[in-house]
Amino acid sequence: MTTAIGICKICPACCPIEVTIENNRATKVRGDRTSQLYNGYTCPKGRTLPEGHYAPERLLHSQRRRPDGGYESIPTHQAVDEIVDKLQAIIAAHGPESLAVIVGNGLASNPPAASMGAFFLSALGTFDERFFSVGTIDQPGKLIAQALHGRWIPGPHAFRDSDVWILVGANPVISKMGLEQNPAQTIKDAVKRGMKLIVVDPRASESATHAFLHLQPQPGQDATLIASFLNVIISEKLYDQTFVADNAEGFDQLARHVAPFTPEHAADIVGVCADDIRQAARTFANAERGCIVTGTGTHFGLHGTLAEYLVLCMNTLCGRWVREGETNTHPHVLLPEVPVHAQPLAPYKPWDETIPNGRIHGLPKTILGATAGTLAEEILTPGKGQIRALICVGSNPAVSLPGQKRAAEALDSLDLLVSLDVSMSNTARKAHYVIPDYMVLETPGTTHYTEYTKYYGLWTHANEFPYAMYSPALVPPPANADLLDPGQFFHRLARKMGLNMVAYANPAGVGQHWEKPPVAVPLPMDRDIGADELLDILTTGSRVPLEELRRHPHGKLFDELNDLVLPRQADCDARMALGEASMMDELDLIFATRGDAPPPTDEFPLLLITRRSNDFYNSTGRHNPKLGGKYSYNPAYLNPDDLARFGISSGDIIRVQSLHGDIQAVAARDARLRPGTLSMSHCFGTNPDEADDPINQGSCTSALMDANAEFDPLFGQPRMNAVPVSITLISGSAGGH
Ligand SMILES: Nc1nc2c(c(=O)[nH]1)N[C@H]1C(S)=C(S)[C@@H](COP(=O)(O)OP(=O)(O)OC[C@H]3O[C@@H](n4cnc5c(=O)[nH]c(N)nc54)[C@H](O)[C@@H]3O)O[C@H]1N2
Ligand SMILES: Nc1nc2c(c(=O)[nH]1)N[C@H]1C(S)=C(S)[C@@H](COP(=O)(O)OP(=O)(O)OC[C@H]3O[C@@H](n4cnc5c(=O)[nH]c(N)nc54)[C@H](O)[C@@H]3O)O[C@H]1N2
Ligand code: SF4
Ligand SMILES: [Mo]
């Protein structure tokens, strides 16, 4: 028996773990108590890694679909050869744009594989159009809003030394989004230190437990609420006039457009008290340090970009960006060295008007590239560019794409569907070929990606400390397994197809906001690339060489890299935009239409909202007997008043119906939920051609959505929150949760 130190890479929190290994198998995982930052923290997903790795449902051999719909194991090298033959035939007949790749959260354990998918499509010349990431049905409005507002190079105030913080539609205690290290303890400590935490959430979430003020809004109305915070801050002159004068423009436009959003107007729409709105805005503005940030609860509605833009404006108005002489919030360790001046990168338009609009809904071309909200239509819409082959890598679009039925129709219609996964996921069960991947403890990894996410906007998974860690592969895969790393998979496809791949390594920036562009590194095409070799390539030019990091097996806090922010450069004339025209138009629109979400009706008296389960990472964990053994479904949480109103008890099987579809679900009581809301997590359930199984498989909330009904006009993300639904009883108690 030995122990080894590694990283739990199920989610970007990257907790350091101590793994007990017996006979080449991991038998126990606990937090690395010597870690400087994490102090031994892990969550149930990390602690059950061994059960996940050796689950009976773990996929160990490539699967080929038989004509009768069943699957047979074939050698992985043969599967790759057959896939190449089919891809070449499809490309010869329909062009390279008929092949798409979609990457998802299963690659949190292996971000370089997602990059290799991108480099493969770059080699085919179709990256911009055909590389889909689930990030575009997550919080893409953060990147768009940041482009429109401008990006402050040294970053926002850090959570660790702030005295106020507003969380809107985010629940880091469960999601770890924004706070990577033991978020519950971090929040508790911050509040003890004197931080006033304000939480805006229709549910008294786990993160709201220590809140100074909890606003429990009607779902889908965050933009109106934040506009009213701005109204108070501007009308009571609580903003930082010097910072605004020096670093921003458009104040007068913003002031004019938020003027109608009085606390009374917002209170009426959002369903909270006007005095609480005033108190939240004043508490925020009167504090010295701290930010307002958003999460998926805000972005799954239709005005996520606007809400984010207003959040950026509120932080700018109150000067909540790190200044000259202070410590840079997101210091680089594995990212390259860049100068950090107290100044913004100028706003720009994140869409390109010179290029004809896309095939679907006439959406423009944006910095987000291909967007997952349109994937089903890209497959089903005939004409040049129709997708005929799809490679799903660590993604599960059969349950994660909004509009499950249409997504299934699209996936079923493909000439070739390949899934690279670790189990027969919903998507794998539709694929022609399934290629089994290594799991977390079998691959090397780093914390590189958590440094990079800061470029995608505020409150992403970015780390606030100059901390980094490398982990080698800790255990070999189970004996006789015939696995293939997805990065290798793409490299082999390219080699067999005669393509030259170039890695675009270690960029510091995204869109048109660059601190340092990527380094082009041609990849060797005459041999395999090892996983470790790829990590080295992708961290080219890092501030601390990966080789050096490998000498610190417990990870390291590089305090000496806590650089101080330099003064604004004399020739910098960039200013952050407070009054961007399209955002101001949208503000006027939501004032006129009373916001986003439709009010409850007799037909659909409840609004479905999103949440995350601590035991599952979207669909990852459903095949882990230790996690799924406790309960294997996603409960339909309802306030006790609503349970009583509809004559339903905890544990009953109910039908949830929307305008677009219906699902069966197990009802559960949640007294912390705003009445009138139904709160469920996602990526559960069976496929439309399989029987409903709400107790063993849970329920697919995406079936209640329609990607073509209401969507963002820039990036096509459909309404995924505040979805009007009704519920009816199907049958009595199934056991309860
Ligand atoms: N209705 C609704 N829909 C949603 C959301 C919602 O809240 N509500 N949330 C949206 C959001 S924010 C996101 S990001 C997407 C998520 O969308 P996806 O990323 O498509 O969903 P996941 O369930 O995370 O898919 C992960 C897949 O990777 C597999 N996997 C796990 N570990 C590994 C591994 O080591 N290697 C490989 N190759 N595969 C692995 C899992 O088995 C699973 O099939 O869903 C979106 N869809
Ligand atoms: N344990 C675990 N961690 C995860 C995941 C997981 O599945 N499990 N998924 C990962 C992924 S893909 C992502 S994108 C991140 C997301 O990370 P977060 O954005 O922090 O996601 P949630 O934890 O769902 O928190 C969203 C909160 O918004 C609230 N909410 C719902 N509707 C509204 C609304 O209209 N307005 C407001 N103000 N609040 C609303 C919900 O009640 C919920 O508490 O989490 C990641 N981390
Ligand atoms: S899944 Fe849990 S243990 Fe693993 S990195 Fe995320 S928070 Fe840490
Ligand atoms: Mo996500």
Side-chain angles (χ1 to χ4, degrees):
M1 189 185 90
T2 54
T3 56
I5 299 296
I7 306 174
C8 170
K9 296 169 284 171
I10 290 185
C11 90
C14 288
C15 300
I17 49 174
E18 184 188 289
V19 183
T20 306
I21 300 167
E22 296 171 72
N23 301 322
N24 280 333
R25 281 164 80 94
T27 52
K28 186 171 185 218
V29 168
R30 64 176 183 187
D32 174 8
R33 283 161 301 171
T34 68
S35 157
Q36 286 164 290
L37 271 183
Y38 292 78
N39 293 315
Y41 174 78
T42 51
C43 83
K45 301 183 288 302
R47 291 192 294 274
T48 56
L49 279 169
E51 288 83 356
H53 281 57
Y54 311 117
E57 292 186 53
R58 163 100 191 255
L59 198 61
L60 297 173
H61 297 275
S62 288
Q63 302 295 309
R64 180 174 61 192
R65 195 185 175 100
R66 291 191 309 250
D68 68 1
Y71 285 87
E72 60 197 359
S73 295
I74 60 168
T76 294
H77 71 84
Q78 184 188 338
V80 173
D81 285 345
E82 292 184 16
I83 290 166
V84 169
D85 287 347
K86 295 198 156 79
L87 277 182
Q88 282 182 317
I90 291 168
I91 289 174
H94 306 288
E97 61 278 16
S98 61
L99 163 65
V101 171
I102 177 161
V103 299
N105 285 274
L107 292 187
S109 62
N110 188 4
S115 304
M116 288 295 274
F119 306 151
F120 172 70
L121 290 190
S122 293
L124 273 176
T126 57
F127 166 73
D128 276 0
E129 307 297 327
R130 288 296 169 251
F131 182 76
F132 291 81
S133 157
V134 296
T136 54
I137 45 168
D138 184 326
Q139 302 159 79
K142 284 191 173 172
L143 185 54
I144 300 288
Q146 178 177 266
L148 294 173
H149 181 73
R151 176 173 186 278
W152 186 255
I153 296 171
H157 283 171
F159 189 86
R160 60 170 185 259
D161 59 6
S162 285
D163 50 5
V164 72
W165 206 266
I166 306 187
L167 288 173
V168 189
N171 186 19
V173 168
I174 300 300
S175 71
K176 326 311 173 202
M177 177 78 100
L179 292 178
E180 325 313 314
Q181 294 91 22
N182 195 351
Q185 191 64 41
T186 305
I187 287 182
K188 216 164 135 187
D189 291 347
V191 169
K192 213 159 147 196
R193 205 183 60 226
M195 174 189 278
K196 290 195 164 124
L197 176 70
I198 299 170
V199 175
V200 180
D201 195 313
R203 187 165 66 91
S205 67
E206 294 78 356
S207 303
T209 307
H210 301 284
F212 157 79
L213 183 63
H214 173 215
L215 300 185
Q216 205 161 6
Q218 176 79 350
Q221 302 288 21
D222 291 346
T224 293
L225 180 66
I226 300 162
S228 73
F229 291 159
L230 286 166
N231 174 293
V232 173
I233 290 170
I234 292 174
S235 62
E236 298 185 8
K237 293 202 168 38
L238 302 177
Y239 55 96
D240 182 336
Q241 299 185 23
T242 315
F243 183 80
V244 171
D246 290 349
N247 295 291
E249 60 194 6
F251 175 83
D252 293 342
Q253 287 96 311
L254 180 68
R256 197 167 67 243
H257 289 271
V258 298
F261 288 86
T262 60
E264 282 68 25
H265 166 80
D268 185 35
I269 288 172
V270 182
V272 299
C273 189
D275 283 345
D276 283 351
I277 295 177
R278 285 199 177 83
Q279 192 186 9
R282 287 173 187 156
T283 305
F284 182 80
N286 288 329
E288 288 290 312
R289 297 181 78 82
C291 289
I292 172 167
V293 298
T294 63
T296 48
T298 301
H299 287 268
F300 288 166
L302 286 185
H303 298 278
T305 308
L306 175 62
E308 183 72 15
Y309 183 81
L310 298 176
V311 153
L312 293 172
C313 290
M314 192 156 147
N315 288 323
T316 295
L317 278 186
C318 297
R320 297 307 161 77
W321 306 107
V322 169
R323 312 292 177 83
E324 176 185 345
E326 296 180 350
T327 309
N328 178 13
T329 309
H330 299 299
H332 295 186
V333 180
L334 288 172
L335 286 176
E337 175 104 40
V338 295
V340 183
H341 292 277
Q343 65 195 45
L345 292 166
Y348 66 93
K349 265 208 166 62
W351 58 89
D352 190 338
E353 281 152 355
T354 64
I355 290 175
N357 285 359
R359 281 175 10 105
I360 311 302
H361 308 317
L363 296 176
K365 186 178 163 76
T366 75
I367 50 167
L368 299 169
T371 59
T374 64
L375 177 58
E377 296 314 306
E378 287 281 14
I379 295 170
L380 289 166
T381 307
K384 190 166 158 38
Q386 181 176 14
I387 294 171
R388 303 305 320 145
L390 178 67
I391 302 174
C392 302
V393 200
S395 59
N396 198 358
V399 279
S400 66
L401 287 187
Q404 193 198 19
K405 227 183 186 161
R406 187 79 173 156
E409 191 186 332
L411 296 174
D412 288 340
S413 76
L414 287 162
D415 296 338
L416 179 65
L417 175 61
V418 179
S419 167
L420 285 78
D421 210 295
V422 294
S423 63
M424 287 304 282
S425 69
N426 295 69
T427 305
R429 299 200 297 278
K430 294 190 165 296
H432 300 100
Y433 293 90
V434 190
I435 308 286
D437 192 4
Y438 294 81
M439 288 183 80
V440 171
L441 301 174
E442 299 156 357
T443 54
T446 69
T447 50
H448 186 202
Y449 177 72
T450 37
E451 284 184 45
Y452 180 66
T453 53
K454 69 171 182 176
Y455 292 112
Y456 284 85
L458 283 191
W459 203 250
T460 52
H461 275 290
N463 213 328
E464 284 188 356
F465 301 90
Y467 165 82
M469 182 163 172
Y470 162 83
S471 163
L474 300 183
V475 291
N480 303 324
D482 183 14
L483 313 179
L484 184 60
D485 178 297
Q488 298 277 356
F489 170 82
F490 286 115
H491 190 238
R492 283 194 198 166
L493 290 193
R495 281 156 66 199
K496 287 179 194 286
M497 292 166 73
L499 300 168
N500 281 318
M501 275 172 86
V502 176
Y504 295 92
N506 219 355
V510 68
Q512 294 176 25
H513 282 159
W514 291 103
E515 290 166 12
K516 214 170 226 177
V519 183
V521 184
L523 297 177
M525 301 308 292
D526 53 353
R527 59 173 174 85
D528 277 345
I529 306 181
D532 261 298
E533 183 183 1
L534 188 59
L535 290 177
D536 280 308
I537 291 171
L538 293 179
T539 50
T540 302
S542 59
R543 213 168 169 196
V544 173
L546 195 50
E547 211 34 58
E548 150 83 11
L549 193 59
R550 287 191 177 102
R551 288 196 279 273
H552 303 282
H554 295 268
K556 185 167 157 56
L557 200 49
F558 292 87
D559 280 324
E560 66 278 19
L561 299 184
N562 247 330
D563 33 21
L564 299 185
V565 173
L566 304 166
R568 190 180 176 110
Q569 289 169 299
D571 61 351
C572 170
D573 57 6
R575 279 158 178 275
M576 292 180 285
L578 295 171
E580 198 280 329
S582 68
M583 293 287 101
M584 296 302 106
D585 288 348
E586 200 173 325
L587 254 182
D588 294 350
L589 177 81
I590 64 161
F591 184 80
T593 57
R594 292 179 58 81
D596 170 3
T601 59
D602 288 344
E603 192 185 2
F604 297 115
L606 299 165
L607 292 177
L608 170 72
I609 60 170
T610 177
R611 80 193 286 148
R612 258 121 185 107
S613 155
N614 205 30
D615 288 354
F616 302 94
Y617 199 72
N618 309 317
S619 59
T620 295
R622 286 175 60 191
H623 297 286
N624 182 324
K626 189 87 182 265
L627 295 172
K630 263 197 288 176
Y631 63 96
S632 50
Y633 59 90
N634 50 335
Y637 290 103
L638 288 150
N639 181 284
D641 290 350
D642 288 324
L643 286 175
R645 172 155 72 120
F646 297 104
I648 286 163
S649 308
S650 232
D652 287 351
I653 305 289
I654 57 173
R655 183 179 311 286
V656 183
Q657 173 94 45
S658 78
L659 198 56
H660 312 297
D662 69 284
I663 56 175
Q664 295 185 25
V666 183
R669 181 179 184 279
D670 185 353
R672 296 162 70 90
L673 199 55
R674 181 183 165 100
T677 54
L678 170 71
S679 166
M680 289 181 79
S681 56
H682 56 290
C683 287
F684 280 78
T686 51
N687 290 335
D689 59 355
E690 301 167 340
D692 283 340
D693 188 0
I695 298 172
N696 298 305
Q697 297 293 327
S699 327
C700 182
T701 53
S702 292
L704 300 168
M705 295 158 193
D706 179 352
N708 299 317
E710 288 176 289
F711 49 83
D712 182 280
L714 266 189
F715 45 82
Q717 173 161 311
R719 174 191 289 287
M720 292 163 61
N721 199 50
V723 179
V725 293
S726 64
I727 55 171
T728 44
L729 179 68
I730 296 180
S731 62
S733 179
H737 165 54

PDB file of all heavy atoms in Angstrom, residues 105 134-139 177 296 300 461 612 617-618 682, ligand 4:
ATOM      1  N   ASN A 105     -17.884  19.256 -20.125  1.00  0.00           N
ATOM      2  CA  ASN A 105     -17.276  19.287 -18.792  1.00  0.00           C
ATOM      3  C   ASN A 105     -16.522  18.025 -18.406  1.00  0.00           C
ATOM      4  O   ASN A 105     -15.761  18.042 -17.445  1.00  0.00           O
ATOM      5  CB  ASN A 105     -18.348  19.549 -17.750  1.00  0.00           C
ATOM      6  CG  ASN A 105     -18.773  20.996 -17.778  1.00  0.00           C
ATOM      7  OD1 ASN A 105     -18.141  21.819 -17.141  1.00  0.00           O
ATOM      8  ND2 ASN A 105     -19.797  21.316 -18.540  1.00  0.00           N
ATOM      9  N   VAL A 134     -19.676  23.667 -24.692  1.00  0.00           N
ATOM     10  CA  VAL A 134     -20.851  23.898 -23.851  1.00  0.00           C
ATOM     11  C   VAL A 134     -20.741  25.226 -23.095  1.00  0.00           C
ATOM     12  O   VAL A 134     -21.723  25.689 -22.519  1.00  0.00           O
ATOM     13  CB  VAL A 134     -21.120  22.739 -22.869  1.00  0.00           C
ATOM     14  CG1 VAL A 134     -21.460  21.456 -23.604  1.00  0.00           C
ATOM     15  CG2 VAL A 134     -19.960  22.545 -21.907  1.00  0.00           C
ATOM     16  N   GLY A 135     -19.554  25.832 -23.123  1.00  0.00           N
ATOM     17  CA  GLY A 135     -19.407  27.176 -22.545  1.00  0.00           C
ATOM     18  C   GLY A 135     -20.365  28.177 -23.170  1.00  0.00           C
ATOM     19  O   GLY A 135     -20.706  29.200 -22.552  1.00  0.00           O
ATOM     20  N   THR A 136     -20.848  27.886 -24.379  1.00  0.00           N
ATOM     21  CA  THR A 136     -21.760  28.822 -25.045  1.00  0.00           C
ATOM     22  C   THR A 136     -23.219  28.606 -24.632  1.00  0.00           C
ATOM     23  O   THR A 136     -24.096  29.355 -25.059  1.00  0.00           O
ATOM     24  CB  THR A 136     -21.648  28.685 -26.587  1.00  0.00           C
ATOM     25  OG1 THR A 136     -21.858  27.303 -26.923  1.00  0.00           O
ATOM     26  CG2 THR A 136     -20.280  29.115 -27.070  1.00  0.00           C
ATOM     27  N   ILE A 137     -23.491  27.575 -23.790  1.00  0.00           N
ATOM     28  CA  ILE A 137     -24.811  27.508 -23.136  1.00  0.00           C
ATOM     29  C   ILE A 137     -24.606  27.551 -21.623  1.00  0.00           C
ATOM     30  O   ILE A 137     -25.306  26.916 -20.860  1.00  0.00           O
ATOM     31  CB  ILE A 137     -25.645  26.261 -23.539  1.00  0.00           C
ATOM     32  CG1 ILE A 137     -24.782  24.997 -23.522  1.00  0.00           C
ATOM     33  CG2 ILE A 137     -26.338  26.470 -24.867  1.00  0.00           C
ATOM     34  CD1 ILE A 137     -25.576  23.700 -23.613  1.00  0.00           C
ATOM     35  N   ASP A 138     -23.602  28.318 -21.218  1.00  0.00           N
ATOM     36  CA  ASP A 138     -23.268  28.437 -19.804  1.00  0.00           C
ATOM     37  C   ASP A 138     -23.453  29.909 -19.435  1.00  0.00           C
ATOM     38  O   ASP A 138     -24.562  30.347 -19.173  1.00  0.00           O
ATOM     39  CB  ASP A 138     -21.837  27.906 -19.618  1.00  0.00           C
ATOM     40  CG  ASP A 138     -21.358  27.878 -18.191  1.00  0.00           C
ATOM     41  OD1 ASP A 138     -21.743  28.760 -17.431  1.00  0.00           O
ATOM     42  OD2 ASP A 138     -20.558  26.982 -17.838  1.00  0.00           O
ATOM     43  N   GLN A 139     -22.389  30.691 -19.475  1.00  0.00           N
ATOM     44  CA  GLN A 139     -22.524  32.121 -19.193  1.00  0.00           C
ATOM     45  C   GLN A 139     -21.783  32.935 -20.246  1.00  0.00           C
ATOM     46  O   GLN A 139     -20.935  33.769 -19.920  1.00  0.00           O
ATOM     47  CB  GLN A 139     -21.974  32.438 -17.796  1.00  0.00           C
ATOM     48  CG  GLN A 139     -22.659  31.642 -16.707  1.00  0.00           C
ATOM     49  CD  GLN A 139     -21.838  31.555 -15.435  1.00  0.00           C
ATOM     50  OE1 GLN A 139     -21.800  32.492 -14.656  1.00  0.00           O
ATOM     51  NE2 GLN A 139     -21.157  30.446 -15.242  1.00  0.00           N
ATOM     52  N   MET A 177     -17.748  27.625  -8.233  1.00  0.00           N
ATOM     53  CA  MET A 177     -17.481  28.628  -9.269  1.00  0.00           C
ATOM     54  C   MET A 177     -17.163  29.955  -8.572  1.00  0.00           C
ATOM     55  O   MET A 177     -17.982  30.467  -7.823  1.00  0.00           O
ATOM     56  CB  MET A 177     -18.717  28.759 -10.158  1.00  0.00           C
ATOM     57  CG  MET A 177     -18.627  29.803 -11.238  1.00  0.00           C
ATOM     58  SD  MET A 177     -17.657  29.255 -12.635  1.00  0.00           S
ATOM     59  CE  MET A 177     -18.898  28.785 -13.783  1.00  0.00           C
ATOM     60  N   THR A 296     -24.877  31.296 -13.130  1.00  0.00           N
ATOM     61  CA  THR A 296     -25.770  30.754 -14.152  1.00  0.00           C
ATOM     62  C   THR A 296     -27.233  31.147 -13.925  1.00  0.00           C
ATOM     63  O   THR A 296     -27.989  31.258 -14.886  1.00  0.00           O
ATOM     64  CB  THR A 296     -25.678  29.222 -14.193  1.00  0.00           C
ATOM     65  OG1 THR A 296     -25.781  28.719 -12.872  1.00  0.00           O
ATOM     66  CG2 THR A 296     -24.387  28.754 -14.818  1.00  0.00           C
ATOM     67  N   PHE A 300     -28.939  32.188 -17.497  1.00  0.00           N
ATOM     68  CA  PHE A 300     -29.831  31.294 -18.230  1.00  0.00           C
ATOM     69  C   PHE A 300     -31.141  31.979 -18.613  1.00  0.00           C
ATOM     70  O   PHE A 300     -31.955  31.409 -19.319  1.00  0.00           O
ATOM     71  CB  PHE A 300     -30.129  30.038 -17.418  1.00  0.00           C
ATOM     72  CG  PHE A 300     -28.978  29.074 -17.315  1.00  0.00           C
ATOM     73  CD1 PHE A 300     -29.004  28.048 -16.391  1.00  0.00           C
ATOM     74  CD2 PHE A 300     -27.881  29.173 -18.150  1.00  0.00           C
ATOM     75  CE1 PHE A 300     -27.961  27.143 -16.289  1.00  0.00           C
ATOM     76  CE2 PHE A 300     -26.822  28.274 -18.055  1.00  0.00           C
ATOM     77  CZ  PHE A 300     -26.868  27.252 -17.117  1.00  0.00           C
ATOM     78  N   HIS A 461     -13.872  30.376 -12.947  1.00  0.00           N
ATOM     79  CA  HIS A 461     -13.177  29.521 -11.982  1.00  0.00           C
ATOM     80  C   HIS A 461     -11.791  30.057 -11.602  1.00  0.00           C
ATOM     81  O   HIS A 461     -11.020  29.363 -10.963  1.00  0.00           O
ATOM     82  CB  HIS A 461     -13.063  28.102 -12.526  1.00  0.00           C
ATOM     83  CG  HIS A 461     -14.284  27.279 -12.249  1.00  0.00           C
ATOM     84  ND1 HIS A 461     -14.623  26.866 -10.987  1.00  0.00           N
ATOM     85  CD2 HIS A 461     -15.260  26.827 -13.050  1.00  0.00           C
ATOM     86  CE1 HIS A 461     -15.743  26.166 -11.034  1.00  0.00           C
ATOM     87  NE2 HIS A 461     -16.158  26.132 -12.271  1.00  0.00           N
ATOM     88  N   ARG A 612     -27.433  23.314  -8.788  1.00  0.00           N
ATOM     89  CA  ARG A 612     -26.435  22.269  -8.951  1.00  0.00           C
ATOM     90  C   ARG A 612     -26.408  21.362  -7.735  1.00  0.00           C
ATOM     91  O   ARG A 612     -26.603  21.819  -6.623  1.00  0.00           O
ATOM     92  CB  ARG A 612     -25.050  22.885  -9.175  1.00  0.00           C
ATOM     93  CG  ARG A 612     -24.656  22.853 -10.615  1.00  0.00           C
ATOM     94  CD  ARG A 612     -24.369  24.210 -11.212  1.00  0.00           C
ATOM     95  NE  ARG A 612     -24.119  24.066 -12.640  1.00  0.00           N
ATOM     96  CZ  ARG A 612     -24.963  24.436 -13.575  1.00  0.00           C
ATOM     97  NH1 ARG A 612     -26.116  24.982 -13.251  1.00  0.00           N
ATOM     98  NH2 ARG A 612     -24.671  24.268 -14.839  1.00  0.00           N
ATOM     99  N   TYR A 617     -21.517  16.208 -11.018  1.00  0.00           N
ATOM    100  CA  TYR A 617     -21.020  17.326 -11.816  1.00  0.00           C
ATOM    101  C   TYR A 617     -21.757  17.260 -13.145  1.00  0.00           C
ATOM    102  O   TYR A 617     -21.372  16.511 -14.036  1.00  0.00           O
ATOM    103  CB  TYR A 617     -19.499  17.215 -12.000  1.00  0.00           C
ATOM    104  CG  TYR A 617     -18.892  18.529 -12.392  1.00  0.00           C
ATOM    105  CD1 TYR A 617     -18.798  19.567 -11.466  1.00  0.00           C
ATOM    106  CD2 TYR A 617     -18.443  18.763 -13.679  1.00  0.00           C
ATOM    107  CE1 TYR A 617     -18.276  20.795 -11.821  1.00  0.00           C
ATOM    108  CE2 TYR A 617     -17.913  19.990 -14.043  1.00  0.00           C
ATOM    109  CZ  TYR A 617     -17.835  20.996 -13.104  1.00  0.00           C
ATOM    110  OH  TYR A 617     -17.322  22.215 -13.459  1.00  0.00           O
ATOM    111  N   ASN A 618     -22.846  17.988 -13.271  1.00  0.00           N
ATOM    112  CA  ASN A 618     -23.777  17.811 -14.383  1.00  0.00           C
ATOM    113  C   ASN A 618     -24.115  16.321 -14.423  1.00  0.00           C
ATOM    114  O   ASN A 618     -24.587  15.795 -13.436  1.00  0.00           O
ATOM    115  CB  ASN A 618     -23.212  18.372 -15.691  1.00  0.00           C
ATOM    116  CG  ASN A 618     -22.703  19.804 -15.525  1.00  0.00           C
ATOM    117  OD1 ASN A 618     -23.364  20.612 -14.885  1.00  0.00           O
ATOM    118  ND2 ASN A 618     -21.543  20.113 -16.045  1.00  0.00           N
ATOM    119  N   HIS A 682     -29.805  19.579 -13.711  1.00  0.00           N
ATOM    120  CA  HIS A 682     -29.923  19.209 -15.125  1.00  0.00           C
ATOM    121  C   HIS A 682     -29.040  18.008 -15.453  1.00  0.00           C
ATOM    122  O   HIS A 682     -28.295  17.517 -14.606  1.00  0.00           O
ATOM    123  CB  HIS A 682     -29.493  20.410 -15.971  1.00  0.00           C
ATOM    124  CG  HIS A 682     -28.103  20.848 -15.605  1.00  0.00           C
ATOM    125  ND1 HIS A 682     -27.843  21.445 -14.396  1.00  0.00           N
ATOM    126  CD2 HIS A 682     -26.921  20.697 -16.226  1.00  0.00           C
ATOM    127  CE1 HIS A 682     -26.548  21.662 -14.307  1.00  0.00           C
ATOM    128  NE2 HIS A 682     -25.958  21.218 -15.389  1.00  0.00           N
TER     129      HIS A 682
HETATM  130 MO    MO B   4     -21.531  25.151 -17.095  1.00  0.00          MO
END
